Amino acid sequence: MRNPSILSATPTASPATPPATPVPTRVKAPARPVRALFDACQIGVVLRAVLFVEVVVAVATLFAAPTLSEWLLLAATVTGGALPATLVWLLATCALKKLLARLPVPAQYAAGALLGALAALYGCGLLRLTGVVGTAPWLASALAGALFAGLMMAALVLRARGQTPAATTARLAELQSRIRPHFLFNTLNSAIALVRQEPAKAEAMLEDLSELFRQALADPGESVTLADEIALAERYLAIEQVRFGDRLRIRWDIDPAAHGARLPPLLLQPLVENAVKHGVEPSPDGARLRIRTERRGAMVLIEVINSLPPLRWADAPLPRGHGIALDNVRDRLRLLHDMQAQFHAGMDEKSYRVRIAIPAES
């Protein structure tokens, strides 16, 4: 067996002489992992910040410009200082992300506001050096930069907090999918049938099932590698292969260069399970399932494709899913990779295709 000690371990005998009472010691609580309060290193954050600044500049300059031409000139002038200051703040907070994560929460807010004020002073200095403005409003610029930084930090913190309920909801849905009674019943029945005839295969099947449940019940992390997700999907499909036999025809097209890409945990397995449930189970002839990964430059492509069963079987319409698993996958990808993630799912001739594109990790 892969881990025989699990089944063969026996409790050790109690010592004849009771051990001496240990001196009570204070156990030090494990240190909490440091984490940045806000993350400005994503493309979506940069685009939203620039758009927000431009909207504020456009609205604010309307109060000081009576005509359209004067408003356009004033807006362009203010943008010449506000836009570089915004980019400097984003670059600084991104570069100092690990350093800021070591600070207490109030200190992170204070540091972000201070960086905002310094960035605004930089933008004001550019306007003064280029002669665009005669008198530089240093104090007003610094206060405006600190206010902008505070608003951006608040928005980023609210977005980070918004990930928790969505991830929890997706987690509960996945656990419900993992521990479906009929799946466990079918798997155990298949293993029991193999115990006498093919004990080695039954043992491997139960070990795959144990690993699958261990992963499903483990504490979720922020992300895992694509290689980990593929390994888990292989275990799940090994179980289903015993169950369906020749009805399940699997093709793996795996690019090793894509293994380092980061995914939310337990993301690929629900897609594979959906393909088995809606492609293989309803069809008397089974179905073809293809899992493909490919690295294309800075992006990684993931596809799960299954052939479709006949429109009707046994004079009854085929069951249709509610799309809960697909919605969870889409939401979790968006929370992890923001605008850099792409997700498409739908019919492709006589197959159903799920296509995911995420950033590649070098």
Side-chain angles (χ1 to χ4, degrees), residues 85-119:
T86 302
L87 296 177
V88 166
W89 182 81
L90 292 170
L91 289 174
T93 53
C94 180
L96 299 175
K97 176 182 174 181
K98 294 183 179 179
L99 180 62
L100 293 175
R102 302 173 184 172
L103 302 177
V105 172
Q108 291 191 43
Y109 276 114
L114 178 60
L115 289 175
L118 294 176

PDB file of all heavy atoms in Angstrom, residues 85-119:
ATOM      1  N   ALA A  85       0.964  61.526 -10.594  1.00  0.00           N
ATOM      2  CA  ALA A  85       0.939  61.284  -9.155  1.00  0.00           C
ATOM      3  C   ALA A  85       0.228  59.974  -8.834  1.00  0.00           C
ATOM      4  O   ALA A  85       0.662  59.212  -7.953  1.00  0.00           O
ATOM      5  CB  ALA A  85       0.248  62.448  -8.450  1.00  0.00           C
ATOM      6  N   THR A  86      -0.865  59.694  -9.536  1.00  0.00           N
ATOM      7  CA  THR A  86      -1.597  58.444  -9.309  1.00  0.00           C
ATOM      8  C   THR A  86      -0.732  57.243  -9.641  1.00  0.00           C
ATOM      9  O   THR A  86      -0.675  56.261  -8.881  1.00  0.00           O
ATOM     10  CB  THR A  86      -2.874  58.424 -10.167  1.00  0.00           C
ATOM     11  OG1 THR A  86      -3.675  59.559  -9.846  1.00  0.00           O
ATOM     12  CG2 THR A  86      -3.669  57.159  -9.928  1.00  0.00           C
ATOM     13  N   LEU A  87      -0.051  57.292 -10.776  1.00  0.00           N
ATOM     14  CA  LEU A  87       0.801  56.172 -11.177  1.00  0.00           C
ATOM     15  C   LEU A  87       1.971  55.984 -10.216  1.00  0.00           C
ATOM     16  O   LEU A  87       2.360  54.849  -9.915  1.00  0.00           O
ATOM     17  CB  LEU A  87       1.308  56.392 -12.604  1.00  0.00           C
ATOM     18  CG  LEU A  87       0.228  56.421 -13.692  1.00  0.00           C
ATOM     19  CD1 LEU A  87       0.841  56.711 -15.061  1.00  0.00           C
ATOM     20  CD2 LEU A  87      -0.532  55.093 -13.732  1.00  0.00           C
ATOM     21  N   VAL A  88       2.527  57.090  -9.722  1.00  0.00           N
ATOM     22  CA  VAL A  88       3.620  56.985  -8.756  1.00  0.00           C
ATOM     23  C   VAL A  88       3.128  56.324  -7.472  1.00  0.00           C
ATOM     24  O   VAL A  88       3.814  55.469  -6.898  1.00  0.00           O
ATOM     25  CB  VAL A  88       4.202  58.386  -8.472  1.00  0.00           C
ATOM     26  CG1 VAL A  88       5.091  58.358  -7.231  1.00  0.00           C
ATOM     27  CG2 VAL A  88       5.007  58.867  -9.670  1.00  0.00           C
ATOM     28  N   TRP A  89       1.927  56.683  -7.006  1.00  0.00           N
ATOM     29  CA  TRP A  89       1.392  56.071  -5.784  1.00  0.00           C
ATOM     30  C   TRP A  89       1.152  54.577  -5.985  1.00  0.00           C
ATOM     31  O   TRP A  89       1.479  53.763  -5.118  1.00  0.00           O
ATOM     32  CB  TRP A  89       0.096  56.762  -5.389  1.00  0.00           C
ATOM     33  CG  TRP A  89      -0.487  56.225  -4.118  1.00  0.00           C
ATOM     34  CD1 TRP A  89      -0.118  56.548  -2.849  1.00  0.00           C
ATOM     35  CD2 TRP A  89      -1.516  55.231  -3.995  1.00  0.00           C
ATOM     36  NE1 TRP A  89      -0.866  55.831  -1.927  1.00  0.00           N
ATOM     37  CE2 TRP A  89      -1.724  55.018  -2.601  1.00  0.00           C
ATOM     38  CE3 TRP A  89      -2.287  54.515  -4.900  1.00  0.00           C
ATOM     39  CZ2 TRP A  89      -2.670  54.111  -2.127  1.00  0.00           C
ATOM     40  CZ3 TRP A  89      -3.230  53.612  -4.426  1.00  0.00           C
ATOM     41  CH2 TRP A  89      -3.417  53.414  -3.054  1.00  0.00           C
ATOM     42  N   LEU A  90       0.588  54.196  -7.133  1.00  0.00           N
ATOM     43  CA  LEU A  90       0.339  52.791  -7.405  1.00  0.00           C
ATOM     44  C   LEU A  90       1.639  51.996  -7.475  1.00  0.00           C
ATOM     45  O   LEU A  90       1.735  50.889  -6.927  1.00  0.00           O
ATOM     46  CB  LEU A  90      -0.444  52.642  -8.710  1.00  0.00           C
ATOM     47  CG  LEU A  90      -1.892  53.150  -8.690  1.00  0.00           C
ATOM     48  CD1 LEU A  90      -2.457  53.178 -10.105  1.00  0.00           C
ATOM     49  CD2 LEU A  90      -2.747  52.279  -7.793  1.00  0.00           C
ATOM     50  N   LEU A  91       2.642  52.545  -8.147  1.00  0.00           N
ATOM     51  CA  LEU A  91       3.935  51.855  -8.242  1.00  0.00           C
ATOM     52  C   LEU A  91       4.594  51.739  -6.874  1.00  0.00           C
ATOM     53  O   LEU A  91       5.175  50.693  -6.540  1.00  0.00           O
ATOM     54  CB  LEU A  91       4.851  52.603  -9.209  1.00  0.00           C
ATOM     55  CG  LEU A  91       4.478  52.532 -10.699  1.00  0.00           C
ATOM     56  CD1 LEU A  91       5.383  53.438 -11.523  1.00  0.00           C
ATOM     57  CD2 LEU A  91       4.590  51.097 -11.203  1.00  0.00           C
ATOM     58  N   ALA A  92       4.515  52.794  -6.079  1.00  0.00           N
ATOM     59  CA  ALA A  92       5.153  52.763  -4.758  1.00  0.00           C
ATOM     60  C   ALA A  92       4.487  51.751  -3.842  1.00  0.00           C
ATOM     61  O   ALA A  92       5.165  50.966  -3.162  1.00  0.00           O
ATOM     62  CB  ALA A  92       5.112  54.163  -4.134  1.00  0.00           C
ATOM     63  N   THR A  93       3.155  51.739  -3.796  1.00  0.00           N
ATOM     64  CA  THR A  93       2.460  50.793  -2.922  1.00  0.00           C
ATOM     65  C   THR A  93       2.646  49.358  -3.384  1.00  0.00           C
ATOM     66  O   THR A  93       2.682  48.433  -2.565  1.00  0.00           O
ATOM     67  CB  THR A  93       0.966  51.132  -2.859  1.00  0.00           C
ATOM     68  OG1 THR A  93       0.433  51.214  -4.197  1.00  0.00           O
ATOM     69  CG2 THR A  93       0.722  52.433  -2.124  1.00  0.00           C
ATOM     70  N   CYS A  94       2.765  49.163  -4.688  1.00  0.00           N
ATOM     71  CA  CYS A  94       3.008  47.809  -5.198  1.00  0.00           C
ATOM     72  C   CYS A  94       4.423  47.352  -4.856  1.00  0.00           C
ATOM     73  O   CYS A  94       4.639  46.219  -4.426  1.00  0.00           O
ATOM     74  CB  CYS A  94       2.773  47.774  -6.703  1.00  0.00           C
ATOM     75  SG  CYS A  94       3.034  46.151  -7.456  1.00  0.00           S
ATOM     76  N   ALA A  95       5.407  48.252  -5.031  1.00  0.00           N
ATOM     77  CA  ALA A  95       6.790  47.881  -4.744  1.00  0.00           C
ATOM     78  C   ALA A  95       7.019  47.640  -3.257  1.00  0.00           C
ATOM     79  O   ALA A  95       7.840  46.801  -2.872  1.00  0.00           O
ATOM     80  CB  ALA A  95       7.727  48.978  -5.246  1.00  0.00           C
ATOM     81  N   LEU A  96       6.283  48.363  -2.403  1.00  0.00           N
ATOM     82  CA  LEU A  96       6.451  48.247  -0.954  1.00  0.00           C
ATOM     83  C   LEU A  96       5.409  47.325  -0.332  1.00  0.00           C
ATOM     84  O   LEU A  96       5.185  47.377   0.885  1.00  0.00           O
ATOM     85  CB  LEU A  96       6.366  49.631  -0.305  1.00  0.00           C
ATOM     86  CG  LEU A  96       7.421  50.651  -0.747  1.00  0.00           C
ATOM     87  CD1 LEU A  96       7.142  51.999  -0.116  1.00  0.00           C
ATOM     88  CD2 LEU A  96       8.821  50.169  -0.379  1.00  0.00           C
ATOM     89  N   LYS A  97       4.782  46.488  -1.135  1.00  0.00           N
ATOM     90  CA  LYS A  97       3.692  45.642  -0.646  1.00  0.00           C
ATOM     91  C   LYS A  97       4.132  44.754   0.505  1.00  0.00           C
ATOM     92  O   LYS A  97       3.467  44.680   1.554  1.00  0.00           O
ATOM     93  CB  LYS A  97       3.160  44.791  -1.799  1.00  0.00           C
ATOM     94  CG  LYS A  97       2.085  43.804  -1.407  1.00  0.00           C
ATOM     95  CD  LYS A  97       1.650  42.972  -2.601  1.00  0.00           C
ATOM     96  CE  LYS A  97       0.670  41.885  -2.203  1.00  0.00           C
ATOM     97  NZ  LYS A  97       0.256  41.048  -3.364  1.00  0.00           N
ATOM     98  N   LYS A  98       5.265  44.061   0.372  1.00  0.00           N
ATOM     99  CA  LYS A  98       5.728  43.154   1.418  1.00  0.00           C
ATOM    100  C   LYS A  98       6.139  43.913   2.673  1.00  0.00           C
ATOM    101  O   LYS A  98       5.916  43.452   3.801  1.00  0.00           O
ATOM    102  CB  LYS A  98       6.889  42.309   0.903  1.00  0.00           C
ATOM    103  CG  LYS A  98       6.505  41.338  -0.203  1.00  0.00           C
ATOM    104  CD  LYS A  98       7.679  40.485  -0.614  1.00  0.00           C
ATOM    105  CE  LYS A  98       7.276  39.497  -1.710  1.00  0.00           C
ATOM    106  NZ  LYS A  98       8.431  38.656  -2.139  1.00  0.00           N
ATOM    107  N   LEU A  99       6.731  45.086   2.490  1.00  0.00           N
ATOM    108  CA  LEU A  99       7.138  45.890   3.641  1.00  0.00           C
ATOM    109  C   LEU A  99       5.920  46.419   4.392  1.00  0.00           C
ATOM    110  O   LEU A  99       5.876  46.404   5.629  1.00  0.00           O
ATOM    111  CB  LEU A  99       8.022  47.044   3.174  1.00  0.00           C
ATOM    112  CG  LEU A  99       8.533  47.987   4.261  1.00  0.00           C
ATOM    113  CD1 LEU A  99       9.401  47.220   5.250  1.00  0.00           C
ATOM    114  CD2 LEU A  99       9.322  49.145   3.642  1.00  0.00           C
ATOM    115  N   LEU A 100       4.913  46.877   3.657  1.00  0.00           N
ATOM    116  CA  LEU A 100       3.702  47.383   4.298  1.00  0.00           C
ATOM    117  C   LEU A 100       2.960  46.277   5.038  1.00  0.00           C
ATOM    118  O   LEU A 100       2.296  46.534   6.052  1.00  0.00           O
ATOM    119  CB  LEU A 100       2.787  48.020   3.252  1.00  0.00           C
ATOM    120  CG  LEU A 100       3.290  49.308   2.581  1.00  0.00           C
ATOM    121  CD1 LEU A 100       2.338  49.743   1.477  1.00  0.00           C
ATOM    122  CD2 LEU A 100       3.457  50.411   3.606  1.00  0.00           C
ATOM    123  N   ALA A 101       3.046  45.044   4.526  1.00  0.00           N
ATOM    124  CA  ALA A 101       2.324  43.938   5.153  1.00  0.00           C
ATOM    125  C   ALA A 101       2.836  43.646   6.558  1.00  0.00           C
ATOM    126  O   ALA A 101       2.114  43.049   7.365  1.00  0.00           O
ATOM    127  CB  ALA A 101       2.435  42.690   4.282  1.00  0.00           C
ATOM    128  N   ARG A 102       4.057  44.057   6.875  1.00  0.00           N
ATOM    129  CA  ARG A 102       4.609  43.802   8.200  1.00  0.00           C
ATOM    130  C   ARG A 102       4.131  44.814   9.236  1.00  0.00           C
ATOM    131  O   ARG A 102       4.370  44.623  10.434  1.00  0.00           O
ATOM    132  CB  ARG A 102       6.145  43.829   8.134  1.00  0.00           C
ATOM    133  CG  ARG A 102       6.733  42.819   7.156  1.00  0.00           C
ATOM    134  CD  ARG A 102       8.232  43.020   7.017  1.00  0.00           C
ATOM    135  NE  ARG A 102       8.800  42.125   6.003  1.00  0.00           N
ATOM    136  CZ  ARG A 102      10.057  42.186   5.574  1.00  0.00           C
ATOM    137  NH1 ARG A 102      10.883  43.088   6.101  1.00  0.00           N
ATOM    138  NH2 ARG A 102      10.479  41.361   4.642  1.00  0.00           N
ATOM    139  N   LEU A 103       3.493  45.874   8.798  1.00  0.00           N
ATOM    140  CA  LEU A 103       3.054  46.931   9.704  1.00  0.00           C
ATOM    141  C   LEU A 103       1.671  46.627  10.253  1.00  0.00           C
ATOM    142  O   LEU A 103       0.882  45.912   9.628  1.00  0.00           O
ATOM    143  CB  LEU A 103       3.032  48.278   8.964  1.00  0.00           C
ATOM    144  CG  LEU A 103       4.345  48.743   8.340  1.00  0.00           C
ATOM    145  CD1 LEU A 103       4.120  50.048   7.579  1.00  0.00           C
ATOM    146  CD2 LEU A 103       5.417  48.924   9.403  1.00  0.00           C
ATOM    147  N   PRO A 104       1.344  47.183  11.429  1.00  0.00           N
ATOM    148  CA  PRO A 104      -0.039  47.065  11.919  1.00  0.00           C
ATOM    149  C   PRO A 104      -1.005  47.765  10.972  1.00  0.00           C
ATOM    150  O   PRO A 104      -0.606  48.591  10.136  1.00  0.00           O
ATOM    151  CB  PRO A 104       0.015  47.759  13.293  1.00  0.00           C
ATOM    152  CG  PRO A 104       1.466  47.793  13.661  1.00  0.00           C
ATOM    153  CD  PRO A 104       2.220  47.854  12.367  1.00  0.00           C
ATOM    154  N   VAL A 105      -2.276  47.442  11.107  1.00  0.00           N
ATOM    155  CA  VAL A 105      -3.285  47.990  10.194  1.00  0.00           C
ATOM    156  C   VAL A 105      -3.309  49.517  10.200  1.00  0.00           C
ATOM    157  O   VAL A 105      -3.292  50.150   9.130  1.00  0.00           O
ATOM    158  CB  VAL A 105      -4.673  47.409  10.532  1.00  0.00           C
ATOM    159  CG1 VAL A 105      -5.761  48.120   9.725  1.00  0.00           C
ATOM    160  CG2 VAL A 105      -4.700  45.915  10.243  1.00  0.00           C
ATOM    161  N   PRO A 106      -3.342  50.185  11.375  1.00  0.00           N
ATOM    162  CA  PRO A 106      -3.336  51.658  11.335  1.00  0.00           C
ATOM    163  C   PRO A 106      -2.088  52.217  10.659  1.00  0.00           C
ATOM    164  O   PRO A 106      -2.166  53.242   9.951  1.00  0.00           O
ATOM    165  CB  PRO A 106      -3.400  52.055  12.818  1.00  0.00           C
ATOM    166  CG  PRO A 106      -3.988  50.875  13.513  1.00  0.00           C
ATOM    167  CD  PRO A 106      -3.479  49.684  12.763  1.00  0.00           C
ATOM    168  N   ALA A 107      -0.940  51.566  10.879  1.00  0.00           N
ATOM    169  CA  ALA A 107       0.293  52.041  10.252  1.00  0.00           C
ATOM    170  C   ALA A 107       0.244  51.870   8.738  1.00  0.00           C
ATOM    171  O   ALA A 107       0.805  52.692   7.993  1.00  0.00           O
ATOM    172  CB  ALA A 107       1.492  51.303  10.838  1.00  0.00           C
ATOM    173  N   GLN A 108      -0.416  50.803   8.251  1.00  0.00           N
ATOM    174  CA  GLN A 108      -0.545  50.628   6.804  1.00  0.00           C
ATOM    175  C   GLN A 108      -1.386  51.749   6.198  1.00  0.00           C
ATOM    176  O   GLN A 108      -1.057  52.284   5.129  1.00  0.00           O
ATOM    177  CB  GLN A 108      -1.171  49.269   6.500  1.00  0.00           C
ATOM    178  CG  GLN A 108      -0.280  48.084   6.819  1.00  0.00           C
ATOM    179  CD  GLN A 108      -0.827  46.786   6.263  1.00  0.00           C
ATOM    180  OE1 GLN A 108      -1.290  46.725   5.127  1.00  0.00           O
ATOM    181  NE2 GLN A 108      -0.776  45.728   7.062  1.00  0.00           N
ATOM    182  N   TYR A 109      -2.472  52.106   6.877  1.00  0.00           N
ATOM    183  CA  TYR A 109      -3.279  53.229   6.394  1.00  0.00           C
ATOM    184  C   TYR A 109      -2.463  54.523   6.388  1.00  0.00           C
ATOM    185  O   TYR A 109      -2.502  55.305   5.425  1.00  0.00           O
ATOM    186  CB  TYR A 109      -4.513  53.404   7.274  1.00  0.00           C
ATOM    187  CG  TYR A 109      -5.671  52.522   6.914  1.00  0.00           C
ATOM    188  CD1 TYR A 109      -6.107  51.533   7.791  1.00  0.00           C
ATOM    189  CD2 TYR A 109      -6.341  52.677   5.707  1.00  0.00           C
ATOM    190  CE1 TYR A 109      -7.179  50.711   7.466  1.00  0.00           C
ATOM    191  CE2 TYR A 109      -7.415  51.859   5.373  1.00  0.00           C
ATOM    192  CZ  TYR A 109      -7.828  50.887   6.256  1.00  0.00           C
ATOM    193  OH  TYR A 109      -8.887  50.075   5.925  1.00  0.00           O
ATOM    194  N   ALA A 110      -1.721  54.756   7.464  1.00  0.00           N
ATOM    195  CA  ALA A 110      -0.927  55.983   7.559  1.00  0.00           C
ATOM    196  C   ALA A 110       0.155  56.020   6.486  1.00  0.00           C
ATOM    197  O   ALA A 110       0.392  57.064   5.852  1.00  0.00           O
ATOM    198  CB  ALA A 110      -0.304  56.096   8.952  1.00  0.00           C
ATOM    199  N   ALA A 111       0.809  54.870   6.261  1.00  0.00           N
ATOM    200  CA  ALA A 111       1.854  54.829   5.240  1.00  0.00           C
ATOM    201  C   ALA A 111       1.272  55.053   3.855  1.00  0.00           C
ATOM    202  O   ALA A 111       1.861  55.761   3.024  1.00  0.00           O
ATOM    203  CB  ALA A 111       2.581  53.480   5.307  1.00  0.00           C
ATOM    204  N   GLY A 112       0.103  54.452   3.584  1.00  0.00           N
ATOM    205  CA  GLY A 112      -0.525  54.672   2.286  1.00  0.00           C
ATOM    206  C   GLY A 112      -0.911  56.125   2.069  1.00  0.00           C
ATOM    207  O   GLY A 112      -0.727  56.681   0.976  1.00  0.00           O
ATOM    208  N   ALA A 113      -1.440  56.774   3.119  1.00  0.00           N
ATOM    209  CA  ALA A 113      -1.800  58.191   3.001  1.00  0.00           C
ATOM    210  C   ALA A 113      -0.563  59.057   2.813  1.00  0.00           C
ATOM    211  O   ALA A 113      -0.579  60.028   2.035  1.00  0.00           O
ATOM    212  CB  ALA A 113      -2.581  58.621   4.234  1.00  0.00           C
ATOM    213  N   LEU A 114       0.517  58.726   3.519  1.00  0.00           N
ATOM    214  CA  LEU A 114       1.757  59.486   3.366  1.00  0.00           C
ATOM    215  C   LEU A 114       2.308  59.351   1.955  1.00  0.00           C
ATOM    216  O   LEU A 114       2.751  60.341   1.337  1.00  0.00           O
ATOM    217  CB  LEU A 114       2.783  59.009   4.391  1.00  0.00           C
ATOM    218  CG  LEU A 114       4.166  59.681   4.323  1.00  0.00           C
ATOM    219  CD1 LEU A 114       4.041  61.174   4.551  1.00  0.00           C
ATOM    220  CD2 LEU A 114       5.119  59.043   5.339  1.00  0.00           C
ATOM    221  N   LEU A 115       2.278  58.124   1.413  1.00  0.00           N
ATOM    222  CA  LEU A 115       2.720  57.935   0.027  1.00  0.00           C
ATOM    223  C   LEU A 115       1.836  58.709  -0.942  1.00  0.00           C
ATOM    224  O   LEU A 115       2.316  59.249  -1.945  1.00  0.00           O
ATOM    225  CB  LEU A 115       2.704  56.442  -0.319  1.00  0.00           C
ATOM    226  CG  LEU A 115       3.770  55.569   0.347  1.00  0.00           C
ATOM    227  CD1 LEU A 115       3.540  54.102   0.012  1.00  0.00           C
ATOM    228  CD2 LEU A 115       5.164  55.995  -0.087  1.00  0.00           C
ATOM    229  N   GLY A 116       0.536  58.778  -0.649  1.00  0.00           N
ATOM    230  CA  GLY A 116      -0.360  59.563  -1.497  1.00  0.00           C
ATOM    231  C   GLY A 116      -0.018  61.033  -1.475  1.00  0.00           C
ATOM    232  O   GLY A 116      -0.040  61.709  -2.520  1.00  0.00           O
ATOM    233  N   ALA A 117       0.298  61.547  -0.294  1.00  0.00           N
ATOM    234  CA  ALA A 117       0.674  62.962  -0.197  1.00  0.00           C
ATOM    235  C   ALA A 117       1.977  63.234  -0.939  1.00  0.00           C
ATOM    236  O   ALA A 117       2.101  64.243  -1.669  1.00  0.00           O
ATOM    237  CB  ALA A 117       0.806  63.355   1.277  1.00  0.00           C
ATOM    238  N   LEU A 118       2.963  62.355  -0.784  1.00  0.00           N
ATOM    239  CA  LEU A 118       4.237  62.541  -1.484  1.00  0.00           C
ATOM    240  C   LEU A 118       4.057  62.451  -3.000  1.00  0.00           C
ATOM    241  O   LEU A 118       4.685  63.216  -3.760  1.00  0.00           O
ATOM    242  CB  LEU A 118       5.247  61.495  -1.004  1.00  0.00           C
ATOM    243  CG  LEU A 118       5.680  61.605   0.466  1.00  0.00           C
ATOM    244  CD1 LEU A 118       6.616  60.456   0.832  1.00  0.00           C
ATOM    245  CD2 LEU A 118       6.365  62.950   0.716  1.00  0.00           C
ATOM    246  N   ALA A 119       3.229  61.512  -3.448  1.00  0.00           N
ATOM    247  CA  ALA A 119       2.982  61.396  -4.884  1.00  0.00           C
ATOM    248  C   ALA A 119       2.297  62.634  -5.427  1.00  0.00           C
ATOM    249  O   ALA A 119       2.607  63.094  -6.545  1.00  0.00           O
ATOM    250  CB  ALA A 119       2.132  60.157  -5.157  1.00  0.00           C
TER     251      ALA A 119
END
